[in-house]
């Protein structure tokens, strides 16, 4: 005999309160409050296979309010994923598969790392967009091989965070009808009753975005939630009154449901209930089983393995038919899922770099980046770009690229360039979701100074080790008259501090092409490309030397037995090159080292780094930004900018801040005479 819906939900409540109590750390209130919603979704609607969590056409399930991680861990354990009870007993402990907040690649079945509120729903928007674009590109009549939903649980905190506005507004514009979000409207956050700081009309807000909204409904009624989900799925498939849109289901719940003294209060949110309250809760929900023990009847009711295997087998039969009917499309789709590049991809990249060496274009690195995209875009079908309302400045489009558009009815015209509007944070988090979904390599762009808006999503991509490419233009005081609000002084250094993030600041077109090549090869983390507004003279003209650029730092030019080493990056390499000429005219032997990526250079062998930066030779670093990070290379001096900029033409600014060849020459003379 199978268990009832309340019994299935109570299993989640018991596991949540027991795990939090054992860890003496965590958030029991959300899992206990959303347990009935979880039953309705996972038992009746979610299409997944616990024996193959990576099945490409599975539904995606995101817990945006990631502090309630025990809800997800309980669901994964009960439904048959490789998450044994021993791992639930180790909740929040070192090296367990049940960390404090869900982490992708740590726990089977977790689709994204959540915790920073609002980013989970934003990732889900990216996942739903990726699904829709792949479906539009590859599905054929009778062969809907890409056909899945993205479900999200989210709470008050997610809706308070501004990023939820950015992402959900776009989801409405894009008509992402297979995105279905369930809002845990319990009215409580850490500081108590949210009416003191959160009185939004959530229904009106989401309707203004163009979403369908259902509810408020009773979130503790599995029948009501199941009915709402059925309606949302019907609209996802056929539209509502001829229009396609995502759906928000507002579910009124009680945080900590079942706890006699803590339900409905902030005390249920983020701390263990305590042994006495757990005893009372067990009585209240009629759960008379020892901690971490689940009756077999409940396991049978939750087990999704047979159902999931049958669903996947049905899809694999469809996929086999698709391969026979559309072999070229099937091969392309499977290559995209696997992240495979065209066979001649590296060869053509090398040819592009060689052509830049030969033609020596004198252009801004942002323009060089667009020249690279002109070559890459047509031959890399999974490349999906975009800009936060700065396409003409970031130069992220390429010749002939189509732009994604959706009409007011939600009908999509697919494209490979996305206009994100002025939504830097949402854009970055949506790109994380696209990367998590698979089938695309997303890149996005804004001015470097506005990377601060995107920063936590960049950090999350680095934490998750997902390939997202950030194109940041206007990378220094060289952007000129826009002044200090737009001049990134500390940003290159701060981005270099993020673990797993590759940061490139190229000095010319060749270095820019190599930076793009490295970004595309960096499949286990994000990359930031910091590009100039002003023109940069060519530095690398030898294809053999160009190969060293990929090491992040290399000898651009050197005299035998150098007396001084100049280290530079980006636009300051040309200043250092002119300083090198002037020093050589004074019979001073110089080595000029270009460091387009300190993050990549730092990963090279000690032998190589010593070869580039020889011991015993004084070093001088130069960059139009803060100096702190350069001291790790043990220079005798750093020429930089430890203050905010000014508003003036670029040339005047470089002179005012003494970022000139003459200043470098003077510094070298002082170093050599002291």
């Amino acid at each position: 005999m199978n268990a009832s819906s309340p019994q299935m939900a109570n299993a989640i409540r018991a596991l949540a309160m027991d795990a939090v109590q054992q860890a003496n750390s965590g958030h029991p209130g959300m899992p206990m409050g959303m347990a009935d919603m979880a039953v309705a979704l996972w038992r009746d609607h979610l299409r997944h296979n616990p024996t193959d969590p990576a099945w490409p056409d599975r539904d995606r399930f995101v817990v945006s309010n990631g502090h309630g991680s025990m809800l997800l861990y309980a669901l994964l354990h009960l439904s048959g994923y490789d998450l044994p009870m021993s791992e639930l007993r180790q909740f929040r402990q070192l090296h367990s598969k049940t960390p404090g907040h869900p982490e992708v690649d740590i726990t089977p079945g977790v689709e994204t790392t959540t915790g920073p509120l609002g980013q989970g729903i934003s990732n889900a928007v990216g996942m739903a967009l990726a699904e829709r674009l792949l479906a539009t590109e590859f599905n054929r009549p009778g062969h809907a091989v890409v056909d899945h939903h993205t479900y999200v649980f989210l709470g008050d905190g997610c809706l308070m965070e501004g990023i939820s506005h950015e992402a959900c507004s776009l989801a409405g514009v894009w008509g992402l009808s297979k995105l279905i979000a369930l809002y845990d409207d319990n009215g409580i956050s850490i500081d108590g009753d949210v009416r003191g700081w959160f009185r939004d009309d959530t229904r009106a807000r989401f309707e203004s975005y163009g979403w369908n909204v259902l509810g408020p409904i009773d979130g503790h009624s599995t029948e009501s939630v199941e009915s709402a989900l059925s309606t949302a799925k019907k609209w996802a498939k056929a539209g509502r009154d001829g229009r396609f849109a995502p759906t928000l289901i507002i579910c009124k719940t009680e945080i900590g449901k079942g706890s006699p003294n803590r339900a409905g209060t902030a005390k249920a949110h983020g701390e263990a209930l305590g042994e006495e309250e757990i005893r009372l809760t067990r009585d209240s929900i009629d759960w008379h089983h020892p901690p971490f023990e689940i009756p077999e009847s409940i396991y049978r009711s939750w087990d999704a393995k047979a159902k999931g295997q049958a669903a996947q087998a049905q899809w694999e039969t469809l996929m086999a038919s698709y391969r026979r009917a559309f072999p070229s499309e099937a091969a392309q789709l499977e290559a995209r899922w696997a992240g495979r590049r065209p066979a001649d991809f590296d060869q053509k990249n090398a040819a592009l770099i060689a052509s830049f060496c030969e033609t020596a274009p004198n252009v801004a690195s942002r323009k060089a980046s667009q020249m690279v995209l002109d070559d890459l875009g047509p031959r890399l079908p999974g490349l999906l770009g975009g800009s936060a309302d700065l396409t003409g400045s970031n130069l992220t489009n390429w010749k002939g690229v189509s732009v994604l558009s959706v009409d007011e009815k939600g009908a999509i015209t697919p494209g490979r360039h996305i206009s994100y509007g002025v939504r830097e944070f949402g854009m970055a988090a949506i790109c994380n979701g696209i990367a998590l979904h698979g089938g695309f390599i997303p890149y996005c762009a804004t001015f470097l100074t506005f990377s601060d808006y995107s920063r936590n999503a960049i950090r999350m991509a680095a934490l998750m080790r997902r390939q997202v490419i950030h194109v940041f233009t206007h990378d220094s005081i060289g952007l000129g008259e826009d002044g200090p609000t737009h001049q990134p002084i500390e940003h290159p250094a701060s981005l270099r501090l993020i673990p797993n993030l590759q940061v490139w600041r190229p000095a010319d077109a060749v270095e820019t092409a190599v930076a793009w090549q490295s970004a595309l090869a960096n499949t286990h983390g994000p990359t930031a490309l910091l590009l100039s507004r002003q023109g940069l003279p060519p530095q690398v003209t030898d294809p053999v030397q160009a190969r060293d650029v990929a090491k992040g730092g290399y000898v651009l030019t050197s005299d035998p037995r150098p007396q001084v080493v100049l280290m530079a990056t980006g636009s300051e390499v040309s200043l250092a090159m002119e300083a090198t000429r002037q020093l050589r005219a004074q019979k001073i032997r110089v080595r000029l080292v270009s460091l387009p990526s300190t993050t990549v250079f730092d990963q090279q062998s000690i032998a190589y780094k010593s070869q580039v930066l020889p011991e015993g030779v004084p070093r001088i670093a130069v960059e139009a930004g803060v100096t702190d990070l350069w001291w790790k290379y043990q220079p005798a001096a750093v020429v930089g900018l430890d203050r905010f900029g000014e508003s003036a033409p670029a040339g005047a600014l470089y002179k005012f801040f003494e970022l000139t060849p003459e200043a470098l020459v003077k510094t070298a003379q002082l170093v050599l005479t002291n």
Side-chain angles (χ1 to χ4, degrees):
M1 183 177 179
N2 288 340
S4 65
S5 296
Q7 289 172 322
M8 293 174 69
N10 286 339
I12 295 173
R13 295 186 174 102
L15 288 172
M17 65 184 181
D18 288 342
V20 172
Q21 182 66 28
Q22 178 145 313
N24 196 27
S25 173
H27 300 75
M30 180 280 243
M32 296 174 74
M34 297 190 80
D36 302 294
M37 296 162 61
V39 171
L41 174 61
W42 279 60
R43 182 187 61 188
D44 300 320
H45 293 279
L46 192 71
R47 183 167 167 262
H48 64 120
N49 182 4
T51 61
D52 186 3
W55 170 28
D57 203 40
R58 68 193 180 278
D59 288 341
R60 271 52 169 186
F61 175 66
V62 173
V63 178
S64 188
N65 40 354
H67 55 271
S69 56
M70 266 310 303
L71 172 73
L72 182 52
Y73 299 149
L75 287 166
L76 294 170
H77 168 75
L78 291 167
S79 61
Y81 285 80
D82 183 18
L83 192 67
M85 187 66 82
S86 58
E87 293 291 347
L88 272 62
R89 290 178 178 272
Q90 290 297 307
F91 178 55
R92 289 185 163 229
Q93 305 308 301
L94 185 64
H95 302 316
S96 75
K97 292 183 179 180
T98 49
H101 291 82
E103 295 186 39
V104 68
D105 298 332
I106 298 295
T107 314
V110 171
E111 299 286 0
T112 179
T113 299
T114 55
L117 294 174
Q119 288 202 59
I121 176 62
S122 305
N123 294 165
V125 172
M127 293 174 186
L129 176 63
E131 189 275 345
R132 189 170 191 195
L133 291 175
L134 284 175
T136 303
E137 183 176 357
F138 288 103
N139 285 354
R140 298 293 183 270
H143 292 85
V145 292
V146 181
D147 185 14
H148 52 266
H149 295 82
T150 301
Y151 297 100
V152 192
F153 278 5
L154 71 162
D156 294 308
C158 294
L159 295 187
M160 284 187 256
E161 287 286 358
I163 188 176
S164 68
H165 162 71
E166 296 183 24
C168 293
S169 173
L170 277 170
V173 170
W174 291 335
L176 300 178
S177 61
K178 290 183 181 176
L179 173 62
I180 301 173
L182 293 92
Y183 165 36
D184 178 29
D185 184 9
N186 62 45
I188 296 293
S189 65
I190 291 174
D191 282 350
D193 190 326
V194 299
R195 287 175 295 182
W197 47 87
F198 182 56
R199 301 184 190 181
D200 294 7
D201 184 338
T202 299
R203 167 180 277 278
R205 171 185 166 186
F206 275 77
E207 286 177 340
S208 76
Y209 294 154
W211 286 53
N212 299 316
V213 181
L214 291 166
I217 63 172
D218 180 0
H220 299 304
S221 165
T222 54
E223 293 79 9
S224 296
V225 177
E226 194 281 329
S227 177
L229 286 166
S230 295
T231 299
K233 288 173 68 177
K234 180 182 70 175
W235 290 339
K237 184 176 182 179
R240 181 186 185 188
D241 299 327
R243 186 178 68 89
F244 290 89
T247 297
L248 177 73
I249 304 172
I250 301 174
C251 302
K252 297 293 291 185
T253 65
E254 184 178 44
I255 192 170
K257 174 73 171 176
S259 172
N261 299 303
R262 297 207 175 177
T265 73
K267 293 287 287 183
H269 177 92
E271 61 184 75
L273 297 181
E275 292 183 2
E276 178 59 20
E277 186 65 15
I278 287 177
R279 185 186 66 79
L280 294 173
T281 303
R282 277 181 150 75
D283 289 340
S284 171
I285 64 175
D286 194 25
W287 186 267
H288 303 292
H289 309 287
F292 299 105
E293 286 194 15
I294 303 295
E296 187 58 36
S297 61
I298 289 178
Y299 274 124
R300 284 198 306 271
S301 301
W302 271 112
D303 189 4
K305 285 182 286 189
K307 185 177 179 182
Q309 289 167 350
Q312 183 170 347
Q314 184 179 14
W315 174 82
E316 287 174 347
T317 299
L318 178 65
M319 192 67 196
S321 172
Y322 181 72
R323 289 188 196 99
R324 291 190 295 271
F326 307 99
S328 176
E329 290 84 350
Q332 291 178 45
L333 176 58
E334 292 181 310
R336 294 266 291 275
W337 277 333
R340 293 193 298 271
R341 309 284 191 267
D344 60 352
F345 187 73
D346 292 337
Q347 179 183 353
K348 289 189 175 181
N349 283 350
L352 176 66
I353 292 168
S355 74
F356 281 175
C357 289
E358 181 178 352
T359 58
N362 188 335
V363 294
S365 53
R366 64 169 176 164
K367 179 59 180 176
S369 173
Q370 187 178 48
M371 293 165 67
V372 174
L373 287 170
D374 284 340
D375 180 81
L376 280 177
R379 60 188 180 86
L380 189 57
L383 197 62
L384 181 65
S387 171
D389 202 45
L390 290 168
T391 301
S393 295
N394 300 145
L395 305 183
T396 48
N397 52 353
W398 66 82
K399 293 176 184 176
V401 68
S402 55
V403 178
L404 171 71
S405 64
V406 182
D407 69 18
E408 292 185 358
K409 293 291 188 180
I412 189 171
T413 301
R416 293 176 56 201
H417 194 272
I418 300 171
S419 296
Y420 284 98
V422 188
R423 299 180 177 95
E424 295 89 355
F425 193 6
M427 172 181 69
I430 287 169
C431 283
N432 289 351
I434 294 170
L436 287 157
H437 180 277
F440 295 97
I441 301 172
Y443 69 91
C444 57
T446 186
F447 290 167
L448 178 55
T449 191
F450 303 136
S451 64
D452 283 340
Y453 285 138
S454 313
R455 188 178 180 87
N456 202 262
I458 298 170
R459 181 180 187 270
M460 293 303 291
L463 179 62
M464 295 187 287
R465 294 183 174 271
R466 284 312 189 267
Q467 186 178 28
V468 178
I469 300 170
H470 293 270
V471 177
F472 294 124
T473 67
H474 297 59
D475 72 333
S476 72
I477 59 171
L479 68 89
E481 293 87 343
D482 278 337
T485 61
H486 283 52
Q487 292 167 4
I489 304 303
E490 74 280 18
H491 299 77
S494 69
L495 288 170
R496 290 168 183 146
L497 289 171
I498 299 177
N500 305 330
L501 174 66
Q502 283 193 11
V503 181
W504 288 84
R505 188 167 180 251
D508 69 355
V510 171
E511 287 194 0
T512 303
V514 174
W516 263 107
Q517 185 180 51
S518 178
L520 293 170
N522 182 26
T523 58
H524 297 292
T527 301
L529 307 179
L530 317 187
L531 307 176
S532 74
R533 177 181 182 269
Q534 73 273 30
L536 303 178
Q539 304 295 340
V540 183
T541 57
D542 180 358
V544 175
Q545 187 180 46
R547 288 198 287 268
D548 285 338
V549 176
K551 298 175 183 176
Y554 64 101
V555 178
L556 184 56
T557 181
S558 183
D559 296 317
R561 296 177 291 107
Q563 295 168 274
V564 66
V565 174
L566 301 183
M567 303 182 295
T569 183
S571 49
E572 288 69 68
V573 171
S574 62
L575 303 180
M577 181 62 82
E578 177 56 30
T580 297
R581 295 188 187 102
Q582 294 182 22
L583 288 166
R584 285 172 173 169
Q586 300 174 23
K587 306 301 182 182
I588 296 173
R589 300 186 302 277
V590 183
R591 168 171 291 188
L592 173 54
V593 172
S594 177
L595 286 162
S597 178
T598 61
T599 56
V600 173
F601 179 71
D602 290 348
Q603 296 172 3
Q604 303 305 314
S605 68
I606 294 174
Y608 178 76
K609 288 185 285 188
S610 298
Q611 177 186 335
V612 173
L613 299 174
E615 296 293 335
V617 182
R619 305 165 185 170
I620 300 171
V622 56
E623 184 173 45
V626 295
T627 60
D628 280 8
L629 220 64
W630 287 100
W631 293 104
K632 68 179 177 178
Y633 296 112
Q634 299 179 317
V638 181
V639 178
L641 190 62
D642 287 316
R643 54 154 289 184
F644 294 115
E646 298 283 346
S647 181
L653 289 172
Y654 273 88
K655 289 179 182 178
F656 176 75
F657 289 116
E658 296 186 325
L659 287 161
T660 63
E662 292 72 24
L664 272 175
V665 168
K666 183 178 178 180
T667 302
Q669 291 169 338
L670 289 171
V671 165
L672 290 172
T673 56
N674 287 338

